[in-house]
């Protein structure tokens, strides 16, 4: 068993159909996560993290193949990020991530089925898994997710903790409350920004539950309290999640309290700020 992290980042752009406008910024958020997460993981760092960033126009088979390939490689962690718009099958029992070129008639059949991703992660050889989600759902899909005896039961699996946000999407809606996955005010972008500046007063290593209050506060400011209004669900791993991220604010605070030369402070800061680019 390796000691690193397999990171698969999928930001699916559904294409020009207005029904899938909720996915139009997913690729931006995916690129931001792929660039930021490797250097922030506490026990692996950039050198210990293998990154697979999928093209936004990839088809479902290409996406699933990438997840399965990552699951087959030895590592301590398998982390999969899904960004975009979700759609449900006609019975409302299964959901999929909308992929490029979809129409309202074929989106589920063309899409990346949620249960396929979870199954691939469960059958991998990693010690730990995490599914990071930044997605929206239209009215019918949102209704299916709200029913625990339908697609909603897919959001709970004992071996695949969920972290992120799923919001309700209304096609064509604009303005402050039109937060799209990967865009300004979305979970993925706020996570990247928070990891970049750190959380003052928090420990040097932060898990999902440690980050949850700061993320929830920023999300509430950006989306007008959608979660409180029942228009979004924020997902935090029940066990707190064991994927630890570096708290840059703690590093800065520790260095600020020491009586060291400017030159030595600069060296220490560089050593605690990974700059390696992700492995494309």
């Amino acid at each position: 068993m390796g000691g690193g992290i397999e990171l698969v980042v999928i930001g699916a752009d559904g294409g020009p159909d207005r029904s899938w406008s909720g996915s139009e910024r997913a690729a931006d958020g995916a690129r931001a996560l792929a660039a930021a997460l490797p250097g922030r993981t506490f026990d692996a760092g950039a050198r210990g993290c293998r990154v697979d960033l999928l093209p936004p126009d990839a088809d479902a088979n290409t996406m699933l193949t990438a997840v399965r390939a990552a699951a087959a490689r030895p590592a301590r962690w398998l982390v999969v990020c899904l960004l975009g718009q979700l759609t449900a099958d006609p019975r409302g029992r299964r959901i999929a991530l909308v992929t490029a070129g979809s129409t309202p008639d074929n989106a589920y059949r063309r899409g990346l089925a949620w249960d396929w991703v979870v199954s691939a992660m469960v059958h991998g050889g990693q010690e730990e898994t995490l599914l990071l989600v930044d997605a929206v759902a239209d009215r019918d899909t949102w209704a299916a997710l709200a029913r625990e005896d339908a697609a909603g039961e897919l959001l709970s699996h004992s071996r695949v903790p969920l972290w992120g946000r799923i919001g309700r999407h209304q096609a064509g809606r604009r303005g402050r409350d039109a937060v799209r996955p990967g865009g300004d005010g979305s979970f993925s972008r706020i996570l990247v920004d928070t990891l970049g500046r750190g959380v003052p007063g928090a420990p040097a290593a932060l898990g999902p539950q440690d980050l949850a209050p700061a993320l929830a506060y920023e999300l509430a400011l950006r989306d007008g309290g959608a979660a409180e209004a029942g228009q979004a669900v924020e997902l935090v791993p029940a066990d707190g999640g064991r994927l630890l991220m570096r708290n840059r604010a703690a590093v800065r605070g520790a260095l600020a309290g020491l009586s060291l030369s400017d030159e030595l402070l600069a060296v220490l800061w560089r050593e605690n700020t990974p700059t390696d680019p992700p492995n494309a």
Side-chain angles (χ1 to χ4, degrees):
M1 178 65 64
I5 296 174
E6 287 288 333
L7 175 64
V8 182
V9 187
I10 298 173
D13 186 340
D17 193 298
R18 288 189 61 191
S19 299
W20 318 128
S21 60
S23 68
E24 64 187 13
R25 300 295 303 278
D28 297 337
R31 286 190 290 267
L33 285 173
L37 289 181
R40 301 289 176 263
T41 52
F42 188 79
D43 57 354
R47 292 181 180 86
C49 187
R50 178 186 177 118
V51 183
D52 194 353
L53 173 63
L54 276 293
D57 59 352
D59 61 26
N61 285 335
T62 300
M63 295 174 178
L64 183 61
T65 297
V67 175
R68 287 174 172 169
R73 289 189 287 264
R76 180 185 172 195
W77 275 93
L78 173 60
V79 179
V80 177
C81 305
L82 297 181
L83 294 84
Q85 186 164 341
L86 301 176
T87 189
D89 73 308
R91 298 177 59 193
R93 301 199 61 84
R94 302 176 70 191
I95 55 175
L97 186 71
V98 177
T99 54
S102 296
T103 69
D105 294 331
N106 67 15
Y108 178 77
R109 295 193 305 274
R110 292 178 60 101
L112 176 64
W114 182 286
D115 52 315
W116 293 353
V117 175
V118 171
S119 177
M121 296 178 72
V122 167
H123 290 93
Q126 289 76 23
E127 298 175 17
E128 306 278 358
T129 63
L130 183 67
L131 182 53
L132 192 154
V133 182
D134 185 4
V136 291
D138 62 20
R139 181 186 60 187
D140 293 340
T141 304
W142 182 259
L145 288 170
R147 303 201 314 270
E148 293 184 359
D149 62 340
E153 66 182 2
L154 297 174
L155 300 184
S156 176
H157 194 290
S158 60
R159 292 183 57 189
V160 182
L162 293 180
W163 187 26
R165 179 185 187 276
I166 301 176
R168 180 171 174 179
H169 174 66
Q170 297 183 32
R173 195 170 185 177
R174 292 290 185 266
R176 175 189 171 94
D177 56 354
V179 175
R180 288 161 169 73
D184 292 340
S186 66
F187 177 85
S188 54
R189 297 302 287 267
I190 288 176
L191 174 60
V192 168
D193 291 345
T194 300
L195 292 175
R197 64 175 177 268
V199 182
L206 302 172
Q209 279 199 344
D210 302 311
L211 287 161
L215 297 177
Y217 175 76
E218 292 293 336
L219 284 166
L221 289 179
R222 305 292 182 88
D223 64 12
E228 289 78 1
Q231 300 298 298
V233 56
E234 294 169 11
L235 306 161
V236 182
D239 63 357
R242 288 182 283 272
L243 180 67
L244 298 179
M245 313 299 291
R246 298 176 187 268
N247 183 5
R248 298 188 69 182
V251 174
R252 288 194 295 270
L255 295 180
L258 297 176
S259 178
L260 302 172
S261 68
D262 291 342
E263 291 80 4
L264 183 54
L265 282 172
V267 171
L268 291 172
W269 175 243
R270 286 196 299 272
E271 290 182 349
N272 283 279
T273 309
T275 57
D276 293 356
N279 299 319

